[in-house]
Amino acid sequence: MPVDARKSSVARKVRSLGGQLIRRWGLVPAGTPDGVGEDENLVGRPWPFEVMVYFADTTEAIYQIEQWYRVFESLDAEHRVVVVTRDSRTARSIRDGSMLEVRTIARAETLDDILGRSKTKLILYVNHNPENFGALRFGNLLHVSLMHGDSDKIVTVSNQTKAYDFSFVAGRAAVERMARYATLFDADERCIPVGRPQLDEQAREREAVTLSRPTDDRPTVLYAPTWEGGQPSAAYGSVATHGAAIVRAILDDGRFRLIYRPHPLTGVRDAAYGDGDSTIRDLIRRAQDELPEVGHTVDGDGDLAVAFGHADVLICDVSGVAMDWLATGQPLIVTLPTADVVVARSALTDLVPRLPAGDMDGLPNLVARELDEDPTGAERRALQEFYLGDTTPGASTRRFIEACERLFRIRDTEVARVAIGELPGEKSVEPRETND
């Protein structure tokens, strides 16, 4: 072998060894999967899982799958579920927070080997990570986008949705939103309303929290903004533009308790959001020192249902938080973005009060009016089924499981058709159920 070739070979081996050590020592930069897989123990063996949840992110995005834990556990009780990650740290976090089976797969060929031997029929995705294409390439399985909340953000009508065979959505509102804003996409055919199964668990937790609320009788305002977004067109967050002014207005007025619940990714892309978050926390810290009995607080962890259970009115941005709050039947105020973002106009955002940046002098009286009179309450409650489907506890989880089972049958029919070389429509297949 020529000298230059030997040097190149040695260099590759050194880089490979260095990469392995960096991964093993946990020194991989945040946001990059560590690639520490269980491949050696998985190759050559089938697994018993009918459903695979593919989550290629690192722990910074764990909140996106956390809200699905209880739902996936309910599905697993009837049809075995496995979560596949590309990061061992993410896998540990999921195991710590759930009862789900988790496997970390670093190499593409490992997934080929396993799925070629196993009875997996369905792959579920909770986000649009580009790494999802590592699993989307399998044509003998059905691929379903779940996402991690329903909202009027542009991501809910993203062209990326077309990559999946179907999308499970909350209610008829999501289907109509996709039909209105997505080009060349048959929303009625490919969107399946299942409700918000997360709300089944949230309703129980919210009721328990409500029964144990503080004795101080002042109403509670929950300010739960979203983050700055991954790109300017999705900058719906208010922390940098509205946040400090909202918090000052509520604290200075004195009639309300304030809970601030920032998005987990606040400040990761835009330093102005990190600065705004710090200012808000400082304001609340001073208020806590001056009036500890009131209970102003920053809610940085835990289930959203706990914050919902303590709150009487919500101030939030265009986000999935607004949709989930709709199930409570309580007043809602939504901020008006200052950036040039795309908002899918909807019945809810047209109905509720919108809060622009700038002068917040009138905010406390607006909050008081919403609490005392709730002028849009009847109309909001009438929209619950349109946005969320049947909110009877347990109904959405059951509908989710039944939708998965229906897709099992559709997948089996399609695989059989392809195996004998039929064209679509040459034989009758199971009709799609209506979602009205």
Side-chain angles (χ1 to χ4, degrees):
M1 179 183 294
V3 174
D4 288 346
R6 285 199 300 272
K7 288 182 178 179
S8 178
S9 176
V10 171
R12 284 197 300 271
K13 290 178 180 178
V14 169
R15 285 196 299 270
S16 176
L17 178 59
Q20 292 176 31
L21 293 175
I22 286 172
R23 289 194 295 272
R24 291 293 177 185
W25 291 340
L27 300 177
V28 175
T32 303
D34 64 11
V36 180
E38 306 163 57
D39 299 63
E40 300 301 329
N41 295 325
L42 296 174
V43 171
R45 302 178 183 180
W47 63 23
F49 307 107
E50 292 178 87
V51 180
M52 184 174 93
V53 179
Y54 193 72
F55 189 70
D57 279 270
T58 53
T59 54
E60 288 78 8
I62 200 74
Y63 72 94
Q64 296 175 347
I65 191 173
E66 277 180 334
Q67 63 176 258
W68 285 101
Y69 286 168
R70 304 292 88 82
V71 183
F72 292 154
E73 288 169 356
S74 296
L75 176 62
D76 180 66
E78 301 185 34
H79 304 280
R80 297 290 303 279
V81 175
V82 63
V83 180
V84 170
T85 75
R86 297 187 64 245
D87 186 282
S88 65
R89 300 162 297 181
T90 301
R92 284 194 297 272
S93 179
I94 296 172
R95 290 186 181 110
D96 289 344
S98 75
M99 301 297 292
L100 296 166
E101 294 280 351
V102 187
R103 304 288 185 270
T104 303
I105 296 177
R107 299 193 297 267
E109 56 267 29
T110 303
L111 200 55
D112 287 55
D113 179 84
I114 295 169
L115 293 179
R117 301 171 183 273
S118 304
K119 61 179 183 179
T120 306
K121 299 181 179 183
L122 202 61
I123 305 184
L124 308 178
Y125 306 82
V126 301
N127 59 24
H128 287 325
N129 189 315
E131 295 294 335
N132 288 354
F133 278 90
L136 278 164
R137 59 197 173 86
F138 294 98
N140 61 335
L141 291 84
L142 289 189
H143 303 266
V144 181
S145 171
L146 305 180
M147 298 303 290
H148 46 278
D150 181 53
S151 74
D152 291 320
K153 289 184 176 182
I154 190 174
V155 68
T156 61
V157 293
S158 169
N159 208 49
Q160 293 162 299
T161 304
K162 298 176 185 177
Y164 308 92
D165 297 305
F166 296 96
S167 291
F168 284 0
V169 298
R172 186 66 199 173
V175 181
E176 294 187 7
R177 186 189 304 120
M178 282 297 299
R180 183 178 300 113
Y181 291 101
T183 60
L184 301 176
F185 182 81
D186 190 339
D188 284 307
E189 179 65 24
R190 295 178 62 183
C191 293
I192 303 176
V194 297
R196 280 285 285 161
Q198 293 85 349
L199 298 181
D200 292 341
E201 182 68 21
Q202 283 189 18
R204 290 187 287 270
E205 294 187 16
R206 189 170 64 246
E207 182 179 359
V209 172
T210 301
L211 294 174
S212 61
R213 290 181 60 170
T215 55
D216 187 296
D217 61 357
R218 70 188 71 196
T220 298
V221 177
L222 171 61
Y223 174 44
T226 191
W227 69 305
E228 54 266 35
Q231 56 275 339
S233 62
Y236 302 95
S238 64
V239 167
T241 55
H242 301 60
I246 288 173
V247 170
R248 284 193 187 96
I250 297 299
L251 294 177
D252 291 348
D253 183 79
R255 284 179 283 178
F256 314 105
R257 176 188 301 106
L258 177 68
I259 298 175
Y260 168 55
R261 184 184 173 93
H263 190 282
L265 296 182
T266 298
V268 300
R269 193 186 65 82
D270 188 339
Y273 278 76
D275 293 341
D277 177 67
S278 295
T279 299
I280 291 170
R281 291 172 184 268
D282 287 342
L283 290 168
I284 293 174
R285 193 176 300 113
R286 289 200 292 269
Q288 290 170 332
D289 292 341
E290 293 172 6
L291 294 168
E293 69 278 5
V294 175
H296 301 304
T297 189
V298 176
D299 178 25
D301 299 300
D303 199 308
L304 181 61
V306 176
F308 277 12
H310 282 296
D312 300 292
V313 60
L314 171 67
I315 300 174
C316 70
D317 306 328
V318 174
S319 72
V321 174
M323 303 304 179
D324 285 357
W325 177 261
L326 189 61
T328 70
Q330 295 177 292
L332 169 66
I333 299 169
V334 178
T335 64
L336 198 62
T338 60
D340 185 18
V341 299
V342 179
V343 178
R345 185 174 178 182
S346 71
L348 182 61
T349 53
D350 283 350
L351 176 66
V352 302
R354 303 301 302 275
L355 187 64
D359 186 4
M360 293 288 170
D361 289 345
L363 177 59
N365 286 335
L366 172 62
V367 170
R369 186 199 72 180
E370 292 299 305
L371 286 167
D372 295 340
E373 302 174 18
D374 195 9
T376 63
E379 293 93 332
R380 280 197 326 276
R381 287 185 281 276
L383 289 174
Q384 283 183 356
E385 185 171 358
F386 179 60
Y387 277 95
L388 301 171
D390 184 357
T391 56
T392 304
S396 289
T397 299
R398 186 71 251 159
R399 195 172 184 184
F400 174 85
I401 294 172
E402 290 172 353
C404 289
E405 292 170 341
R406 189 160 72 251
L407 293 192
F408 291 160
R409 298 191 294 272
I410 292 174
R411 178 265 180 189
D412 290 345
T413 299
E414 281 296 288
V415 168
R417 177 189 66 77
V418 170
I420 60 176
E422 287 183 345
L423 292 173
E426 286 188 342
K427 280 190 175 182
S428 60
V429 297
E430 181 189 46
R432 288 287 310 280
E433 297 182 17
T434 61
N435 298 312
D436 295 331

